[in-house]
Amino acid sequence: LRSKDQGLYKQVFNTVVTDGRILRGLIQMIRSGEFGSKSLGSCTRKLVNNWLANKTPLSVWNQSIGNSPSMRDVMRLSRPSPKGDPEREAVYRLIVKDETSESLPQVIKDYYAFKSDMTLEMPKVSFQRLTSLELTDNHWKSLGDNMSWSQLRQNINSLEKHKAFTDVDLTNRLAEKIANRDEVRKAKVFPYQVYTSCLHVTNAKMKHALQTALDHSVENVPVYPENTVVAIDVSGSMGSPVNAQNVNVGLSCAQVAGLMAIAILKKNPSTRIVTFDTEAKEYKSLNAHDSVMTNLQKINFNGGGTACSSAVKFVKDKGIPCDLMVMIS
């Protein structure tokens, strides 16, 4: 839209750019040259500066974490004006020039004081700011107690590493939060994300809580037409790790495919499940009322070639009603 329709580009900018990470991603894409000019241009510069101006100075600082490009790079390109606001000017100078001053918000000054003396009380700043420091186990316990649901899920391994789960009362509170149905729905988390966390935690109470959250997360899956068929590739290549950049995640394409299919089945119980490699067959042993983990153990990935057409042919030849086919390969 930036190069094709600036009117629409201006309309959707703030809908798309909801946080600093996405803003940095947009600037990275522009600078790549893949979408026309590498320059921000006056339109994008104005949109970025308006975006910054509509955030509090503290929020801008909190969202200035990350690189390639950094928020410093973004602001050097867009050249935002603090418009006579001493606090905003102090935050902008901190981000762009790494200069501190007395005009900074108190919580930012508290953060720098804490960095110098970690016996002080932990400041209430962005979670990522704190986890980048050399925190003690007690710091991590305190952090865990104040995490949002998503932060807790994403940092369960770190909490376990820092012995947070040796505190029985804390573990009970965190497990209760992770398993809370309303929290799962509010986080809009999908089963894949919960399942990944579940694979890597060893504490029994937290693992059970994540399995409960996994079943709740299915409620975030869309409702599909009644005559939906999900076709899962069970060929040999599905044994590959899901993330080619990190072969140690312990998660295969086959596991993700099975998980997606089961999630759709649980939300849409009339769904028919077909597996295919060189040939296709229907999987009738899955029960929409069973837990996600129970159903996952029923799907076998035996190897073989990949013939996507065999699934389509199977559905057609067997006369299976099909208004929507989802193929996972």
Side-chain angles (χ1 to χ4, degrees), residues 279-299:
E279 296 182 343
K281 65 178 181 180
E282 184 172 4
Y283 239 83
K284 295 185 177 180
S285 63
L286 303 178
N287 186 336
H289 298 290
D290 284 343
S291 72
V292 173
M293 295 296 276
T294 298
N295 275 325
L296 263 176
Q297 294 167 4
K298 297 179 183 178
I299 300 180

Side-chain angles (χ1 to χ4, degrees), residues 53-113:
N54 286 323
K55 300 283 182 289
T56 66
L58 178 60
S59 176
V60 173
W61 179 76
N62 273 331
Q63 296 189 59
S64 65
I65 299 169
N67 295 297
S68 302
S70 65
M71 189 64 83
R72 174 179 296 181
D73 297 327
V74 172
M75 294 176 76
R76 282 177 172 171
L77 288 168
S78 68
R79 301 190 297 276
S81 169
K83 296 180 179 177
D85 180 341
E87 188 173 80
R88 186 175 294 276
E89 181 179 3
V91 168
Y92 285 5
R93 291 181 74 85
L94 174 63
I95 294 170
V96 176
K97 297 184 177 181
D98 209 20
E99 293 179 4
T100 58
S101 77
E102 281 302 311
S103 297
L104 285 168
Q106 185 59 47
V107 68
I108 297 180
K109 289 190 280 190
D110 291 344
Y111 168 75
Y112 282 101

Side-chain angles (χ1 to χ4, degrees), residues 141-182:
K141 289 178 183 179
S142 180
L143 268 182
D145 233 355
N146 293 291
M147 287 179 185
S148 68
W149 190 94
S150 293
Q151 289 171 343
L152 179 55
R153 181 192 68 78
Q154 292 163 1
N155 289 277
I156 278 183
N157 289 340
S158 295
L159 287 165
E160 190 163 42
K161 175 185 171 184
H162 290 281
K163 302 176 183 177
F165 302 143
T166 58
D167 184 323
V168 176
D169 291 338
L170 175 63
T171 305
N172 288 338
R173 288 196 299 274
L174 298 185
E176 187 177 343
K177 177 182 279 190
I178 278 288
N180 185 287
R181 179 173 174 264
D182 291 337

Side-chain angles (χ1 to χ4, degrees), residues 124-276:
K124 298 186 184 303
V125 298
S126 168
F127 177 77
Q128 291 92 332
R129 292 270 179 199
L130 294 169
T131 54
S132 65
L133 304 177
E134 293 294 324
L135 300 177
T136 66
D137 291 348
N138 284 334
H139 284 140
W140 273 96
K141 289 178 183 179
S142 180
L143 268 182
D145 233 355
N146 293 291
M147 287 179 185
S148 68
W149 190 94
S150 293
Q151 289 171 343
L152 179 55
R153 181 192 68 78
Q154 292 163 1
N155 289 277
I156 278 183
N157 289 340
S158 295
L159 287 165
E160 190 163 42
K161 175 185 171 184
H162 290 281
K163 302 176 183 177
F165 302 143
T166 58
D167 184 323
V168 176
D169 291 338
L170 175 63
T171 305
N172 288 338
R173 288 196 299 274
L174 298 185
E176 187 177 343
K177 177 182 279 190
I178 278 288
N180 185 287
R181 179 173 174 264
D182 291 337
E183 292 275 7
V184 175
R185 294 183 67 185
K186 189 167 66 175
K188 297 182 179 178
V189 65
F190 280 114
Y192 165 78
Q193 296 163 298
V194 185
Y195 181 67
T196 304
S197 298
C198 198
L199 286 179
H200 295 99
V201 69
T202 59
N203 180 270
K205 190 173 283 290
M206 296 306 294
K207 187 177 279 289
H208 292 153
L210 281 164
Q211 289 183 20
T212 301
L214 180 58
D215 287 332
H216 292 328
S217 69
V218 173
E219 296 179 33
N220 292 326
V221 173
V223 174
Y224 290 142
E226 184 173 356
N227 295 322
T228 291
V229 176
V230 177
I232 314 171
D233 181 357
V234 294
S235 65
S237 59
M238 293 295 283
S240 304
V242 71
N243 183 347
Q245 280 70 48
N246 184 359
V247 297
N248 297 316
V249 293
L251 193 62
S252 68
C253 296
Q255 287 173 294
V256 177
L259 179 65
M260 290 174 70
I262 290 161
I264 293 171
L265 173 68
K266 279 189 72 66
K267 185 63 178 283
N268 304 270
S270 62
T271 297
R272 308 273 287 266
I273 306 291
V274 170
T275 58
F276 68 91

